Amino acid sequence: MSIYRLRVKCNNAQVEVVAKNGTILAREMDRYLESFLGRKISTQYEPVQQNYYQQQTSYSEPRMEEFSLNQPHMQQEYHEAPNTIGGQIPALNEFIASNKGYDTFSEFIISAYYMKKVLNNEFFTLKMLNSKFYPATGSLVDFYIIEEAKNKGFINTWNDEGTTKYTLNEEGEAYFVNQLRG
Amino acid sequence: MAEYVFKMKKGEVEIELSSDDAEFVEQQLAKWREEILKKQG
């Protein structure tokens, strides 16, 4: 079986995708090609969700902490009823589906809200977010999405001992509530 | 088995594709080349 890897670096951060089918990487590469060129390209792909094998993100120097579902911040319970579905903590794909995401950026804002208000995480890293975002959407949040959110004033970002952390700020929450909430 | 690496950089963003699937890497390389030349043309 062939292995396909796509590694994206920006400043000190790095995202790596490993797949058993090239289609998933081709789609991601198309997104970067479009960003590089500043225009859309047209390529048709077959559905690839079933080909998803492994999504792994890591950071280069300074090395980030290893992400684990067992980390305490991922085990916090959520008690605010408006963001639950049937009183249960929804999976991210359910949360996105219950709101009005229409592209990767809007789904990112919904996901950032999910991390903050549903999972009660005071921050997220790109690695943490993509470990949920990719299985839910089939796409990755890349640096262009982060930059767009920063430029629109929707997220705050800071560096904590070599780890870049993000959180949805009040403006981002307002955008979610007013534009994206289902 | 050989591994093929295809690396591009623009500004601070660098993307690197690596695979042992020569045909896939060739297709991606051709697509990038074609699209970049299309823009320059």
Side-chain angles (χ1 to χ4, degrees), chain A residues 17 19 24 32 49 64 66 70 79 81 100 107-108 113 116 124 132 140-141 144 146 149 151-152 158 169-170 174-175:
Chain A
V17 181
I24 194 78
Y32 282 99
Q49 282 284 40
M64 310 293 286
E66 289 297 321
N70 294 324
H79 300 291
K100 298 175 182 173
E107 290 175 344
F108 164 71
Y113 186 89
K116 184 174 184 179
F124 61 85
K132 295 181 177 300
L140 286 171
V141 173
Y144 296 105
I146 293 289
N151 292 338
K152 289 182 176 177
W158 68 96
N169 59 26
E170 290 183 0
Y175 178 72

Side-chain angles (χ1 to χ4, degrees), chain A residues 144-171:
Chain A
Y144 296 105
I145 298 290
I146 293 289
E147 280 302 309
E148 184 177 354
K150 285 168 63 176
N151 292 338
K152 289 182 176 177
F154 292 162
I155 61 171
N156 294 337
T157 177
W158 68 96
N159 189 285
D160 184 8
E161 297 181 349
T163 301
T164 304
K165 296 179 176 179
Y166 308 92
T167 190
L168 194 69
N169 59 26
E170 290 183 0
E171 288 77 12

Side-chain angles (χ1 to χ4, degrees), chain A residues 4 7 30 36-37 45, chain B residues 10 14 16 21 31 39:
Chain A
Y4 304 83
R7 184 176 296 139
D30 280 0
F36 279 23
L37 296 174
Y45 294 108
Chain B
K10 181 178 181 182
E14 177 180 305
E16 178 183 304
D21 183 342
K31 182 200 297 182
K39 182 178 184 182

Side-chain angles (χ1 to χ4, degrees), chain A residues 116-158:
Chain A
K116 184 174 184 179
K117 294 293 187 179
V118 178
L119 297 183
N120 283 336
N121 289 329
E122 293 183 359
F123 66 88
F124 61 85
T125 65
L126 198 55
K127 186 176 182 180
M128 289 165 60
L129 187 73
N130 273 328
S131 71
K132 295 181 177 300
F133 193 83
Y134 189 86
T137 66
S139 298
L140 286 171
V141 173
D142 57 27
F143 300 106
Y144 296 105
I145 298 290
I146 293 289
E147 280 302 309
E148 184 177 354
K150 285 168 63 176
N151 292 338
K152 289 182 176 177
F154 292 162
I155 61 171
N156 294 337
T157 177
W158 68 96

